[in-house]
Amino acid sequence: MKIKVRFILMCSMLLSLLLAPLAQVDAAPPGIHTNAVGASLIDVESGRILYSQKGDTPMRIASLTKIMTAIIAIEQGNLNDKVKVTKTAFGKEGSSIYLKLGEEMRLHDMLYGLMLRSGNDAATAIAEHIGGSVDGFVYLMNEKAKMLGMDHSHFTNPSGLDEGEGHRSSPNDMAKLTAYALKNNVFQDIVSTKLKKVPNPNEAWDYSWLNKNKMLSLFEGADGVKTGYTKLAKRCLVSSASRNGHQLAVVTLNDPDDWSDHGRLLQYGFAYFPLLTLVNKGDAVEGSTGVVGRTFSYPLAEGEAQLLTRKVTLADPATTSYRLGERGTIQYFLKNNLIQTIPIYDKTSPLLQAESQSTFSFQKSEPYQATLLSHYGYVLRMLVRELFMISESEWAD
């Protein structure tokens, strides 16, 4: 009976999506809600939070923790190193990729088991390999959180299991972490993979890992990132999607209807906050012989472009920054709030060539417009998911 009622309610909600007019980019952002206790929608390129619900409230995050575990391992480890499975990692409770005691696996391969299948054994093995011990790795996690400005987060383990108290993060903090991690090519490749086969030294067949993240099939343009579940944290999800060079990420914590909520939030972000290129690397700077140091793009709702201001400040030749090659800065403000500072360089400066613009190369393009086919296709996929919904055990950490 409960299943029948749930399905009827879902059909009603999806019918409203079908009947609703497609969102237009030229309309002001309407209100939107989710079924989550906490949620956040972020523009990956700029880091702008586009929607937040209890965004700074620390909560249990289950296996979303592994986003932090993965990015630290990628940045600080050698992907070709062999990771050995110790007694601590072997048979770790919760979800597992069933590593054998003493088994060795390439770090790069183990990261797929960590992110696609949420292996707690993989998380522990990776933590010991990178940090020397689980405690050593946890220290690195908290230091990384400080560096990223995750002021409402504290990590106590690399897996997200409810071991003791104090392991928490907030929706906005997880959004910041996700946006940071998605700018790493290795991380992006891993979390966007639907199926991965890895050599198995114990059997005649390879490991075969299917990604638990159903958003990769449910939502057009989806390209990451991680599911999570424990009895205390409930369903947690981080997803990302890209359209026309514009990438968004959504975080929901304790959300019984996360697949649907993520689809709506992603559609909302693409429709109402198109990514606009405000200045291009190499552009001439008025009142200066220098040029813009890097391209700057920012998501803006209707009418916000008129609220933008910018300030050019030229560097004093006597300053250290000038001697190091910087000829000034351009500051962008939205509603008098500073949103970006961009360096100015000489046209021939080697710094201009070396300036990183991010992992992704965003090109100015027409904002994505949802079509009837893509809109109804998304609704149909959600209906099919409800008919064949996976059991909660598929989420278990």
Side-chain angles (χ1 to χ4, degrees):
M1 184 64 182
K2 288 182 179 179
I3 294 176
K4 184 177 180 180
V5 171
R6 174 182 170 80
F7 182 67
I8 292 173
L9 290 173
M10 174 57 70
C11 287
S12 176
M13 184 275 291
L14 291 175
L15 182 61
S16 69
L17 284 177
L18 281 169
L19 297 176
L22 294 177
Q24 298 298 314
V25 177
D26 60 356
I32 191 169
H33 76 281
T34 75
N35 298 286
V37 173
S40 185
L41 168 66
I42 193 170
D43 172 70
V44 171
E45 168 73 354
S46 67
R48 184 184 185 185
I49 300 291
L50 306 177
Y51 169 81
S52 182
Q53 178 179 328
K54 292 189 176 180
D56 292 328
T57 302
M59 304 179 195
R60 297 180 187 272
I61 58 171
S63 277
L64 304 189
T65 299
K66 289 165 183 152
I67 296 172
M68 177 66 87
T69 301
I71 193 61
I72 290 176
I74 291 167
E75 291 181 341
Q76 301 206 19
N78 183 331
L79 295 177
N80 290 315
D81 277 355
K82 294 287 187 177
V83 178
K84 188 171 184 178
V85 181
T86 66
K87 289 182 179 179
T88 307
F90 174 66
K92 190 70 177 175
E93 64 179 291
S95 59
S96 175
I97 57 173
Y98 306 105
L99 298 169
K100 304 293 185 182
L101 180 62
E103 178 179 347
E104 293 187 347
M105 181 182 289
R106 218 170 48 117
L107 174 60
H108 199 182
D109 292 336
M110 194 174 285
L111 284 166
Y112 281 93
L114 175 79
M115 298 304 288
L116 273 61
R117 297 306 301 170
S118 203
N120 292 332
D121 48 357
T124 305
I126 289 170
E128 292 180 320
H129 177 77
I130 299 295
S133 66
V134 170
D135 288 344
F137 189 80
V138 167
Y139 172 80
L140 296 178
M141 296 173 80
N142 287 310
E143 287 300 300
K144 190 71 174 182
K146 292 176 185 176
M147 187 200 83
L148 295 176
M150 298 172 65
D151 298 328
H152 306 282
S153 301
H154 180 72
F155 296 92
T156 63
N157 65 67
S159 64
L161 284 170
D162 295 318
E163 299 173 332
E165 293 296 323
H167 189 91
R168 301 285 191 277
S169 188
S170 70
N172 286 350
D173 278 3
M174 290 306 299
K176 290 178 188 177
L177 172 62
T178 300
Y180 172 82
L182 285 170
K183 292 177 182 178
N184 182 289
N185 280 328
V186 175
F187 182 90
Q188 177 71 83
D189 288 344
I190 291 172
V191 299
S192 62
T193 299
K194 292 183 179 180
L195 176 66
K196 179 68 174 179
K197 292 185 180 296
V198 168
N200 184 345
N202 306 303
E203 307 291 349
W205 56 86
D206 290 341
Y207 287 109
S208 184
W209 296 322
L210 180 67
N211 200 323
K212 289 185 179 184
N213 183 7
K214 299 296 189 291
M215 285 297 291
L216 294 175
S217 299
L218 287 172
F219 191 83
E220 180 185 352
D223 49 21
V225 287
K226 188 73 186 72
T227 62
Y229 174 85
T230 66
K231 290 181 179 180
L232 296 178
K234 306 302 182 186
R235 292 170 69 106
C236 300
L237 179 63
V238 176
S239 68
S240 64
S242 299
R243 289 178 176 173
N244 298 325
H246 186 190
Q247 189 173 35
L248 301 174
V250 174
V251 178
T252 54
L253 303 180
N254 193 350
D255 187 348
D257 200 17
D258 41 25
W259 301 129
S260 177
D261 284 340
H262 278 242
R264 291 189 306 105
L265 281 170
L266 287 168
Q267 293 280 29
Y268 175 85
F270 286 127
Y272 292 104
F273 292 90
L275 188 69
L276 303 178
T277 299
L278 303 180
V279 67
N280 286 293
K281 181 179 178 179
D283 284 351
V285 179
E286 65 273 17
S288 166
T289 58
V291 296
V292 176
R294 62 171 175 268
T295 297
F296 174 46
S297 300
Y298 201 75
L300 293 168
E302 183 192 14
E304 286 191 324
Q306 287 71 44
L307 303 177
L308 281 172
T309 57
R310 80 175 201 169
K311 177 183 177 183
V312 176
T313 303
L314 300 181
D316 185 334
T319 62
T320 301
S321 61
Y322 188 94
R323 290 196 294 271
L324 291 174
E326 189 174 289
R327 296 298 176 256
T329 59
I330 304 172
Q331 293 179 308
Y332 277 88
F333 299 84
L334 177 61
K335 300 177 184 177
N336 296 319
N337 294 315
L338 179 65
I339 59 173
Q340 185 62 270
T341 299
I342 303 168
I344 299 172
Y345 298 130
D346 287 329
K347 294 180 181 179
T348 58
S349 173
L351 293 174
L352 188 65
Q353 306 304 318
E355 183 70 36
S356 172
Q357 295 187 52
S358 85
T359 301
F360 307 104
S361 178
F362 291 102
Q363 301 297 324
K364 188 173 182 179
S365 60
E366 289 300 315
Y368 172 80
Q369 292 281 4
T371 63
L372 284 174
L373 181 61
S374 65
H375 180 66
Y376 294 153
Y378 168 70
V379 174
L380 179 61
R381 289 194 294 273
M382 293 302 299
L383 280 170
V384 171
R385 179 193 68 85
E386 282 299 310
L387 282 170
F388 302 99
M389 192 155 92
I390 59 173
S391 66
E392 228 174 37
S393 62
E394 271 293 293
W395 284 76
D397 284 354

